[in-house]
Amino acid sequence: MEDEPVLVDSSRLKSVVWKDFDRIRFGDTCVAVCKHCQKKLSGSSTSGTSHLRNHLVRCRRRLNHDIVPLVTAKGKKKEATVAIAAVSFDQEQQTSEVANIVQPKYEHAHSNYVTGNLVKSNFDNKRSRFDLARMIILHGYPLQMVEDVGFKIFVRNLQPLFELVTFDGVEGDCMQIYHKEKQKVSDMLDKLPGKISLSADMWTGKGDAKYLCLTAHCIDDEWQLKKKILNFLLVDPSHTEDMLSDVIMMSLMEWDIDRKLFSMTFDSCPTYDNIICKIRDQLRLSQNNFLICDGQLFEVRCAANLIKNMAQDALEAVSEVTDKIRESIRHVKSSQGTQEKFNEMAQLVGINSQKCLCLDNSLQWNSTYFMLDMALEFKDAFSLLPEHDSVYTSCPSYEEWDRASAIASYLKLLIEVSNVFTGSKHVTANIYFPEICEIHMQLIGWCHKSDEFISSLGMKMKTKFDDYWKKCSLALAIAAILDPRFKMKLIEYYYPQIYGNSAPECIDIVSNCMKALYNGHLASDGQAGDGSGNDSRDRLIGFDRFLHETSQGPNVKSDLDKYLEEPLFPRNMEFNILNWWKVHTPRYPILSTMALNILGIPMSKVTSDSAFDVGDRVLDPYWSLLRSNTVQALMCARDWMQNDSEDTKTLADATPLAICYDTS
């Protein structure tokens, strides 16, 4: 007769797992029956309880129950091993398929932190949805990934409680994040102590799509340089210059920063001339003209764009030579035998260079310089090769090698200057003046060369440079004067080399502009406290202005006079100009406000990863397919979130829940 099942009293069993199982004895055999799904597992004392724990983790009817007892029991160990069941869509999956994933070792405090959070909170689906959306934004993933089969399986196995989202759902989550982050940026801009400068970039999307990227540049009350993308707008090809200027003005008014605008930085292009003029005129004709000194430094052109244009002019002038050099390198690398023969030629002429020949990348102009620089070291070997290789017919002449050498030396200067412009994430306006002056003097030298090829090329490039210099030289010089290591001395050093006998008059122009800007900031500071402004926190600001005005005697020096008369600050590599002005703000209250506005001007708007690119920046092809509003939300939110993480703490060092989005 078959043995009757007997329910065994499990209260004496130590493991908490028996709270979820009944132990049934069938004769000499013990079986553990899950109280939730009635599944039968081995209940023998020799089987242990690990398989029972694994079952509880994957038991579908128990997933909504609290797992505190399990976590608490496991948390007693310093190195926690959590058994995670691989969820399968096959209901007949065997117990042996359960995978135990061993978590990496953590510091004891970190382990307690994770365990504590797991104990205190249940799974938060809404928070996880926003974590997913933030991940997509930060890393530029395609939104379509949430509907990929592989992604769904991965998420379902990782956390069965997570409710899978659709494309429309994650798009909506991204928009919510954008609006929340946008409010933070708006609050930051509203609290700025100084003005805002704007830069404009054109991006290329899929097909012929063009996007206008507007970025705000400013210095906050902690004297930290900030950069935030404000808008990323799809541009209609039919838009006229007037329409583009209206689009920019609408963006300024949407952000309520039209009254705070100090300057605008564009590429060197005649199209932008009219756009800048129209925006400046609209700001002048507004009810309150907030442009300091009538916008004397309002128009700025991108220095990196100027360098790129001059580099392209130089490379275009020697395009036939560079074509021959490319063919020469291809020939040498065409076979091992040819390479060995070329190496023999190099040894014959005494070349011991460790450099390797390489071809350039047509999308980056600096790579052409590196190709020329390496080829020039082997020019004697190339010149000897035709005598021993009848197939090789593309060797440049001696005159062409000389031209390539002259162009390479100039490209080297442009690359060095570009590296200074992009040497750090936040570059202030004061560093540009000496670099641009070096280029200016090099061009002057080229224009006076006896070699007609070099002199004509120099004249062509100087025409573009002169247009830039006319628009930007004052802003460059004023920013350099605000560097306490240089002040007027740097102007007095470079201008005689550039202008010769006309230098004194040109220096006077800069000095007068400096004084006018100082007086403009002084007047602007007074208007801010005349009772008609928005600042009502200090009702004695008017008294301060009255005290300043009535204290001005013949022997009282202004901030500007005191600053220029005091000795130069020692020049060293560790100098931080923003820290210097932060410390000296009490001594120069008006001049520090002027420094706040001018040092924040983006003299160059190119980042290090695109400094040498030939074309426009290109939008991710997956994001190009999205609606224009979604593209703007993703581009702006990614910029804001990346900047926030860099300003505080990198995401890699953050705690496991630090990336979670605050949905409150």
Side-chain angles (χ1 to χ4, degrees):
M1 181 176 177
E2 189 174 308
D3 295 328
E4 291 291 330
V6 178
L7 179 63
V8 180
D9 182 11
S10 59
S11 60
R12 296 183 179 180
L13 299 176
K14 295 182 179 180
S15 177
V16 295
V17 78
W18 290 107
K19 292 182 179 180
D20 293 278
F21 286 91
D22 287 326
R23 196 178 189 199
I24 308 295
R25 183 185 300 279
F26 290 89
D28 296 332
T29 304
C30 285
V31 177
V33 180
C34 177
K35 293 181 180 180
H36 307 284
C37 67
Q38 309 306 313
K39 186 175 181 64
K40 297 177 180 179
L41 302 168
S42 173
S44 171
S45 59
T46 59
S47 299
T49 58
S50 295
H51 65 298
L52 302 182
R53 293 178 187 276
N54 291 341
H55 171 75
L56 288 180
V57 172
R58 67 172 186 147
C59 180
R60 292 179 181 272
R61 295 188 181 181
R62 185 186 172 277
L63 284 178
N64 291 328
H65 289 196
D66 194 5
I67 62 169
V68 170
L70 285 177
V71 177
T72 304
K74 287 293 181 179
K76 294 179 181 178
K77 299 181 181 179
K78 290 185 179 179
E79 298 174 7
T81 303
V82 181
I84 300 179
V87 179
S88 171
F89 296 104
D90 182 1
Q91 296 292 338
E92 299 300 320
Q93 181 180 12
Q94 300 298 315
T95 306
S96 60
E97 294 178 355
V98 176
N100 290 322
I101 302 178
V102 179
Q103 301 297 322
K105 295 180 180 180
Y106 296 96
E107 295 292 338
H108 185 56
H110 181 75
S111 177
N112 289 343
Y113 170 81
V114 176
T115 304
N117 275 275
L118 288 172
V119 171
K120 293 177 183 177
S121 63
N122 292 323
F123 172 70
D124 189 334
N125 188 75
K126 185 177 181 181
R127 187 192 69 191
S128 297
R129 280 187 56 161
F130 280 107
D131 285 347
L132 172 61
R134 284 172 65 90
M135 179 191 74
I136 289 173
I137 294 171
L138 279 169
H139 302 291
Y141 296 144
L143 271 65
Q144 295 92 329
M145 67 177 286
V146 298
E147 296 187 347
D148 291 343
V149 173
F151 178 78
K152 291 180 178 180
I153 294 174
F154 168 74
V155 172
R156 187 63 74 191
N157 287 339
L158 184 67
Q159 176 50 269
L161 288 178
F162 182 71
E163 297 176 8
L164 293 171
V165 293
T166 63
F167 172 90
D168 291 337
V170 76
E171 183 182 36
D173 293 342
C174 289
M175 293 301 293
Q176 285 192 51
I177 292 173
Y178 162 71
H179 288 298
K180 188 168 184 115
E181 295 294 327
K182 182 178 180 180
Q183 186 59 51
K184 294 179 184 178
V185 175
S186 181
D187 293 342
M188 185 272 289
L189 295 176
D190 188 55
K191 295 174 183 177
L192 287 174
K195 297 284 188 176
I196 296 170
S197 291
L198 195 73
S199 67
D201 280 300
M202 293 302 299
W203 286 58
T204 300
K206 199 170 183 64
D208 296 328
K210 294 286 184 181
Y211 292 86
L212 176 65
C213 179
L214 299 176
T215 306
H217 305 255
C218 55
I219 297 175
D220 65 12
D221 55 357
E222 292 296 322
W223 286 88
Q224 297 292 318
L225 196 61
K226 300 293 183 181
K227 183 175 74 170
K228 303 285 186 182
I229 293 179
L230 300 183
N231 293 92
F232 198 85
L233 306 165
L234 180 64
V235 177
D236 191 320
S238 63
H239 277 182
T240 63
E241 295 168 3
D242 288 347
M243 294 173 70
L244 281 175
S245 63
D246 290 340
V247 167
I248 295 173
M249 278 302 300
M250 288 176 62
S251 172
L252 294 174
M253 289 186 286
E254 175 197 352
W255 285 93
D256 192 26
I257 59 172
D258 52 315
R259 59 191 170 83
K260 287 190 172 185
L261 192 62
F262 186 76
S263 72
M264 296 191 68
T265 302
F266 284 83
D267 286 338
S268 297
C269 176
T271 302
Y272 297 130
D273 291 343
N274 295 332
I275 293 175
I276 292 176
C277 286
K278 183 167 183 183
I279 293 174
R280 179 163 46 194
D281 290 343
Q282 288 186 46
L283 294 174
R284 283 172 176 167
L285 297 174
S286 61
Q287 185 176 2
N288 295 304
N289 183 0
F290 291 104
L291 290 178
I292 296 178
C293 286
D294 205 31
Q296 195 165 8
L297 303 185
F298 186 77
E299 181 177 1
V300 180
R301 294 309 165 99
C302 177
N305 179 254
L306 167 74
I307 290 174
K308 181 182 76 171
N309 290 338
M310 290 195 298
Q312 289 177 327
D313 284 343
L315 290 172
E316 184 181 343
V318 290
S319 59
E320 293 182 5
V321 182
T322 51
D323 286 342
K324 287 184 178 182
I325 291 175
R326 285 190 194 97
E327 288 303 317
S328 297
I329 294 173
R330 289 193 184 101
H331 177 76
V332 169
K333 291 182 169 293
S334 62
S335 68
Q336 185 176 352
T338 308
Q339 180 72 64
E340 291 175 353
K341 188 179 295 184
F342 181 78
N343 292 341
E344 292 176 8
M345 300 301 102
Q347 291 179 354
L348 284 175
V349 296
I351 298 174
N352 297 315
S353 175
Q354 299 298 314
K355 294 182 179 180
C356 297
L357 296 172
C358 66
L359 291 170
D360 59 340
N361 177 0
S362 61
L363 300 178
Q364 293 193 309
W365 62 265
N366 64 328
S367 67
T368 305
Y369 160 74
F370 295 126
M371 180 187 74
L372 293 177
D373 183 53
M374 294 174 188
L376 283 165
E377 289 205 23
F378 291 93
K379 68 176 182 178
D380 292 337
F382 279 116
S383 299
L384 189 61
L385 187 60
E387 299 177 12
H388 301 81
D389 187 348
S390 59
V391 179
Y392 175 51
T393 59
S394 55
C395 182
S397 65
Y398 287 110
E399 182 183 20
E400 289 173 327
W401 280 118
D402 288 342
R403 290 181 178 178
S405 178
I407 295 300
S409 66
Y410 190 67
L411 291 176
K412 181 181 180 181
L413 172 63
L414 297 182
I415 290 173
E416 289 171 351
V417 171
S418 295
N419 287 334
V420 172
F421 293 170
T422 59
S424 64
K425 180 174 175 59
H426 300 302
V427 178
T428 46
N430 58 298
I431 64 107
Y432 290 87
F433 180 76
E435 305 298 331
I436 295 296
C437 285
E438 290 294 330
I439 294 175
H440 198 169
M441 292 189 297
Q442 181 80 17
L443 285 174
I444 292 172
W446 271 33
C447 291
H448 291 91
K449 289 283 187 182
S450 57
D451 187 329
E452 185 179 351
F453 170 79
I454 297 297
S455 61
S456 61
L457 175 59
M459 291 296 292
K460 179 181 179 181
M461 291 192 291
K462 194 170 185 303
T463 301
K464 292 182 178 180
F465 181 88
D466 287 345
D467 181 63
Y468 169 84
W469 185 256
K470 179 181 178 181
K471 292 182 172 71
C472 302
S473 61
L474 277 177
L476 293 168
I478 298 298
I481 294 171
L482 289 170
D483 189 328
R485 299 170 298 172
F486 304 125
K487 301 184 181 180
M488 287 296 298
K489 292 298 182 182
L490 200 62
I491 315 300
E492 294 166 358
Y493 169 73
Y494 276 113
Y495 270 30
Q497 301 179 66
I498 294 172
Y499 292 111
N501 295 332
S502 302
E505 292 84 357
C506 297
I507 293 174
D508 285 342
I509 291 173
V510 174
S511 179
N512 292 334
C513 179
M514 186 78 179
K515 293 174 184 176
L517 284 167
Y518 176 81
N519 291 330
H521 280 80
L522 181 62
S524 177
D525 183 69
Q527 290 172 4
D530 64 359
S532 60
N534 294 325
D535 191 352
S536 61
R537 290 170 294 178
D538 187 353
R539 303 192 182 279
L540 290 178
I541 290 179
F543 170 75
D544 293 338
R545 184 160 56 92
F546 163 77
L547 193 64
H548 179 82
E549 292 172 353
T550 56
S551 300
Q552 295 297 318
N555 298 323
V556 177
K557 295 179 180 179
S558 67
D559 287 4
L560 180 59
D561 292 334
K562 288 189 294 185
Y563 171 77
L564 293 177
E565 290 176 5
E566 290 175 353
L568 299 182
F569 191 81
R571 195 162 65 89
N572 61 74
M573 298 299 293
E574 302 301 323
F575 178 72
N576 185 318
I577 190 171
L578 296 183
N579 282 347
W580 191 93
W581 277 105
K582 180 180 180 180
V583 170
H584 289 80
T585 294
R587 180 165 177 76
Y588 311 112
I590 303 301
L591 195 61
S592 64
T593 302
M594 182 172 160
L596 198 75
N597 295 331
I598 292 174
L599 294 177
I601 296 175
M603 296 295 183
S604 174
K605 55 188 180 59
V606 177
T607 57
S608 58
D609 60 337
S610 61
F612 303 105
D613 290 353
V614 174
D616 293 334
R617 301 195 69 177
V618 180
L619 183 64
D620 179 88
Y622 290 106
W623 285 11
S624 292
L625 300 173
L626 303 172
R627 290 174 291 200
S628 59
N629 286 345
T630 304
V631 172
Q632 173 171 255
L634 294 174
M635 291 296 291
C636 290
R638 179 169 67 176
D639 175 72
W640 302 336
M641 290 158 59
Q642 285 177 341
N643 285 333
D644 286 345
S645 64
E646 289 167 1
D647 290 341
T648 54
K649 196 174 183 181
T650 59
L651 294 177
D653 294 334
T655 55
L657 300 181
I659 194 174
C660 296
Y661 190 71
D662 180 10
T663 59
S664 59

